[in-house]
Amino acid sequence: MTKTILITGSSRGLGASIAKTLAKKGHNVIINYFQNKALAEKVVAEIGHDQAIAICADVTDRTQVDQLITEATNYFGKIDAVVNNALIGFKFDPSSQKSFKDLSWSDYQQQIDGTLKGAFNVTQSVIDQFIKHKSGNIISIGTNLYQNPVVPYHEYTTAKSSLIGFTRNIAAELGQYGIKANVVSGGLLKTTDASAATSDEVFDLIEQTTPLHKVTTPQDVANMVAFLVSDQANGITGQNITVDGGLTMN
């Protein structure tokens, strides 16, 4: 069955991989971007205008998010699922990562706003139509670093960890309306813009210490998102599903 799915931060990287994978499964996708209109429109062109639309919105701004949800709903008729993927201004660069003593609260706040506030805004904006249709799917992109901080990306990991509590409370309260909520936590992805500064030595270390002897790719995570969107995953909610080749085990 064709579904309509909003993917935040999907003009490039993991978000674009998720959008393209979902489109190949026959779904309609809303490509959300904040700064790079050209890249977002390129993703739409690759997918096809019958299945995709690009809409600009800053997920930390509730007014813009409400406009995003309204425009997307008017275009496709309704929204069936959202993927909270947007990442605000963070690079996985061990050499430039601040130590804890050098971090400021504003460093944390930027990541909390981009990750948790963004997910809050999108989810709360779309929730009325989910309740109305007694169906909906909320998928948030987390990280395996909360279990195994091989590099202490303090502010990023803290913000992403908050998605687990956020998601489980939504799952508990809104399951009565047929709404599911889950987190997909990938390993360090090879390669996205955010991980481009990561050295080959770090990727080699991950590969050597991972049971499957491979580094996680954007496609690996996109495949899990596609599964959770499908009706085959109707019995799954409130979970944090880790996709990292077994580097961390629950």
Side-chain angles (χ1 to χ4, degrees):
M1 183 177 72
T2 297
K3 298 178 182 179
T4 297
I5 302 134
L6 164 64
I7 308 101
T8 65
S10 50
S11 66
R12 58 186 179 174
L14 175 59
S17 293
I18 292 170
K20 293 173 186 177
T21 299
L22 292 172
K24 287 177 182 177
K25 298 287 186 181
H27 301 302
N28 301 320
V29 292
I30 301 118
I31 309 299
N32 160 247
Y33 69 98
F34 178 42
Q35 294 178 320
N36 204 318
K37 181 178 181 180
L39 274 182
E41 290 182 342
K42 182 181 178 183
V43 175
V44 170
E46 289 179 31
I47 293 171
H49 292 272
D50 56 330
Q51 275 186 274
I53 184 176
I55 304 177
C56 179
D58 176 358
V59 296
T60 68
D61 184 323
R62 180 57 182 268
T63 299
Q64 292 187 42
V65 170
D66 287 344
Q67 292 170 346
L68 162 66
I69 296 299
T70 298
E71 184 177 348
T73 302
N74 290 339
Y75 190 86
F76 283 117
K78 70 169 184 171
I79 298 172
D80 298 291
V82 297
V83 181
N84 294 309
N85 167 74
L87 177 63
I88 306 297
F90 193 83
K91 299 291 184 184
F92 299 102
D93 184 355
S95 64
S96 66
Q97 171 64 29
K98 295 178 184 177
S99 65
F100 177 73
K101 67 182 180 60
D102 294 324
L103 285 164
S104 67
W105 179 248
S106 63
D107 293 319
Y108 278 83
Q109 193 67 61
Q110 182 185 40
Q111 293 308 308
I112 290 169
D113 285 350
T115 296
L116 184 58
K117 185 179 181 182
F120 169 85
N121 284 341
V122 171
T123 302
Q124 197 171 69
S125 186
V126 79
I127 209 69
D128 281 346
Q129 62 176 284
F130 282 3
I131 292 173
K132 176 183 176 181
H133 294 296
K134 295 192 182 306
S135 176
N137 204 329
I138 302 147
I139 300 168
S140 295
I141 302 301
T143 179
N144 70 346
L145 287 169
Y146 90 99
Q147 287 178 278
N148 184 29
V150 288
V151 176
Y153 293 119
H154 299 276
E155 65 275 43
Y156 169 84
T157 305
T158 299
K160 285 293 190 179
S161 298
S162 68
L163 286 173
I164 298 173
F166 173 78
T167 295
R168 287 177 173 164
N169 280 279
I170 288 171
E173 179 181 332
L174 301 179
Q176 62 184 310
Y177 303 108
I179 297 169
K180 302 183 293 293
N182 293 286
V183 177
V184 177
S185 292
L188 181 65
L189 302 182
K190 188 176 184 180
T191 306
T192 64
D193 287 353
S195 65
T198 301
S199 67
D200 289 339
E201 288 77 14
V202 171
F203 281 122
D204 289 344
L205 176 63
I206 292 172
E207 183 174 338
Q208 292 166 15
T209 55
T210 297
L212 290 180
H213 296 290
K214 68 184 291 291
V215 177
T216 311
T217 67
Q219 189 62 58
D220 293 330
V221 176
N223 289 341
M224 178 54 68
V225 172
F227 171 70
L228 289 173
V229 164
S230 75
D231 292 340
Q232 292 174 316
N234 280 345
I236 301 173
T237 194
Q239 303 304 311
N240 175 48
I241 301 171
T242 307
V243 181
D244 67 358
L247 181 62
T248 60
M249 298 186 182
N250 294 315

